[in-house]
């Protein structure tokens, strides 16, 4: 991918030889602060390629903060500061010389509330492609179609591409937001409770889509739905008060966790 050369910075390849091939991310001693408040405390975990990793834990335990640090969205929050290392492709993403625009193309993010632009369905996707320099109509048409197909939305919208995205249902809007992210050809998708604001049928469709996407992408998903985490994820990290209490295969976390706190949380005794 051409953009790689822009994320890579020559002086920043120190970790390249250390990184295991099957890990898309290696996160080491990550701490994140908002002013005096430490929202993430010395988190360390490796994220496997082409797997779904779920982040679970009670509200306010730092899941979104952790997720936003990966594509440097926390940079946009005044007073936010990160320490530690997030190694991606041999590069520490927290380094000051990272090109965050290129980074956010490779590591895309989808939020809880669908946030399509108030534009046509077509232009929701074409707009971002144009921003990255793609202009030809044929190429745009093709990339819009491809992204909508990948997001399992094409059949529902192919006859109304020039209608407003806001005319879509919530679940369709969320799949459009996923399509918009996929159009950037990312390697890693960060999904922050992507289906929790949706009705059960839309929720199921988005969930099914996420499972399909695992074939081609690495995915980290924040969810407060324990059934969802156990249904779709390969690995689960349990967060509590900014700390990663336990991180393991999802099956292990949900059937035989090592930590009592994990057991209490997944069995619904708090949170
Ligand atoms: N933009 C922000 N500014 C200041 N503090 C924040 C901000 N976002 C989150 N926090 C604080 O960081 C902690 C973790 O929040 P968050 O990452 O949103 O948790 P979760 O996603 O697990 O609910 C909380 O104490 C929260 O109040
Ligand atoms: Mg959150």
């Amino acid at each position: 991918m051409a953009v790689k050369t822009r994320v890579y910075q020559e002086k920043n390849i120190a970790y390249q030889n250390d990184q295991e091939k099957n890990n898309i991310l290696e996160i080491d001693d990550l701490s994140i602060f908002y002013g005096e408040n430490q929202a993430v405390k010395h988190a360390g975990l490796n994220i496997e390629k082409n797997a779904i990793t779920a982040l679970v834990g009670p509200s306010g335990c730092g899941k979104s903060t952790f997720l936003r640090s990966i594509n440097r969205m926390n940079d946009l929050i005044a007073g936010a500061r990160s320490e530690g290392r997030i190694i991606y492709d041999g590069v520490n993403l927290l380094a000051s010389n990272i090109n965050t625009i290129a980074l956010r193309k490779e590591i895309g993010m989808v939020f809880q509330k669908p946030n399509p632009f108030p534009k046509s369905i077509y232009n929701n996707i074409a707009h971002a492609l144009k921003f990255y320099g793609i202009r030809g109509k044929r190429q745009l048409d093709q990339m819009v179609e491809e992204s909508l197909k990948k997001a399992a939305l094409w059949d529902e919208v192919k006859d109304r591409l020039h209608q407003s995205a806001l005319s879509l249902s919530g679940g369709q809007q969320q799949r459009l937001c996923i399509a918009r992210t996929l159009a950037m050809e990312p390697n890693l998708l960060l999904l922050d409770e992507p289906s929790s604001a949706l009705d059960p049928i839309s929720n199921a469709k988005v969930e099914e889509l996420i499972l399909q996407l695992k074939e081609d992408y690495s995915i980290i998903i924040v969810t407060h739905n324990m059934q969802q985490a156990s249904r779709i994820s390969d690995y689960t990290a349990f967060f509590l008060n900014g700390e990663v209490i336990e991180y393991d295969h999802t099956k292990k976390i949900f059937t035989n966790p090592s930590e009592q706190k994990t057991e209490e949380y997944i069995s619904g005794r708090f949170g």
Side-chain angles (χ1 to χ4, degrees):
M1 204 181 299
V3 73
K4 278 265 168 65
T5 54
R6 292 157 60 200
V7 177
Y8 281 144
Q9 303 281 338
E10 274 195 44
K11 288 189 203 122
N12 199 358
I13 56 170
Y15 309 104
Q16 200 138 33
N17 298 328
D18 297 343
Q19 192 170 2
E20 302 252 355
K21 283 202 174 53
N22 55 343
N23 290 333
I24 183 118
L25 292 179
E26 294 184 358
I27 295 166
D28 185 24
D29 200 16
L30 175 66
S31 289
I32 307 170
F33 304 82
Y34 297 106
E36 300 284 287
N37 177 23
Q38 185 168 2
V40 172
K41 299 169 185 165
H42 308 285
L45 35 118
N46 295 338
I47 305 290
E48 195 173 292
K49 272 185 193 151
N50 291 91
I52 300 181
T53 301
L55 311 182
V56 304
S59 186
C61 68
K63 305 179 297 295
S64 295
T65 300
F66 178 90
L67 203 66
R68 284 198 302 264
S69 69
I70 297 171
N71 70 348
R72 297 275 296 265
M73 293 292 281
N74 285 334
D75 287 17
L76 309 175
I77 299 173
R81 168 167 75 78
S82 307
E83 289 173 1
R85 301 190 314 184
I86 301 176
I87 309 301
Y88 166 78
D89 237 343
V91 171
N92 181 8
L93 297 181
L94 296 181
S96 57
N97 59 357
I98 290 294
N99 177 336
T100 53
I101 305 251
L103 171 65
R104 289 174 197 146
K105 192 166 176 287
E106 288 193 25
I107 303 185
M109 193 159 191
V110 174
F111 302 91
Q112 178 174 17
K113 213 169 156 277
N115 58 350
F117 306 125
K119 294 174 181 289
S120 69
I121 295 165
Y122 181 94
N123 277 325
N124 259 271
I125 297 171
H127 181 77
L129 291 167
K130 285 181 196 158
F131 177 79
Y132 284 100
I134 294 159
R135 305 267 162 205
K137 184 176 181 307
R138 282 246 318 265
Q139 199 184 0
L140 284 172
D141 286 355
Q142 191 194 332
M143 290 177 87
V144 167
E145 178 173 340
E146 235 170 65
S147 313
L148 288 168
K149 281 182 173 161
K150 284 186 196 156
L153 188 58
W154 174 249
D155 288 340
E156 289 161 63
V157 301
K158 61 175 191 275
D159 300 322
R160 51 191 284 205
L161 291 176
H162 298 287
Q163 284 178 23
S164 169
L166 304 179
S167 71
L168 298 171
S169 75
Q172 289 172 326
Q173 288 187 15
Q174 193 62 308
R175 280 179 284 141
L176 179 62
C177 293
I178 293 173
R180 186 172 70 186
T181 305
L182 296 180
M184 300 292 101
E185 302 184 328
N187 292 324
L188 172 62
L189 295 172
L190 308 175
L191 310 175
D192 196 349
E193 305 200 29
S195 63
S196 66
L198 307 177
D199 63 85
I201 292 172
S202 306
N203 183 351
K205 279 199 175 167
V206 169
E207 201 177 290
E208 191 185 324
L209 168 62
I210 294 167
L211 270 175
Q212 280 171 28
L213 293 174
K214 189 174 84 162
E215 307 274 312
D216 301 307
Y217 306 89
S218 307
I219 296 171
I220 307 178
I221 180 171
V222 172
T223 177
H224 63 231
N225 181 332
M226 292 301 108
Q227 282 80 22
Q228 180 170 66
S230 66
R231 267 195 307 266
I232 70 173
S233 71
D234 303 288
Y235 296 92
T236 296
F238 169 54
F239 280 69
L240 188 63
N241 296 326
E243 286 180 67
V244 180
I245 301 294
E246 190 167 351
Y247 177 48
D248 213 321
H249 290 279
T250 294
K251 208 167 169 198
K252 169 95 167 57
I253 294 279
F254 283 92
T255 57
N256 184 25
S258 301
E259 300 293 326
Q260 196 187 338
K261 285 268 186 261
T262 313
E263 160 76 35
E264 288 171 4
Y265 183 70
I266 58 145
S267 62
R269 261 172 274 165
F270 68 93

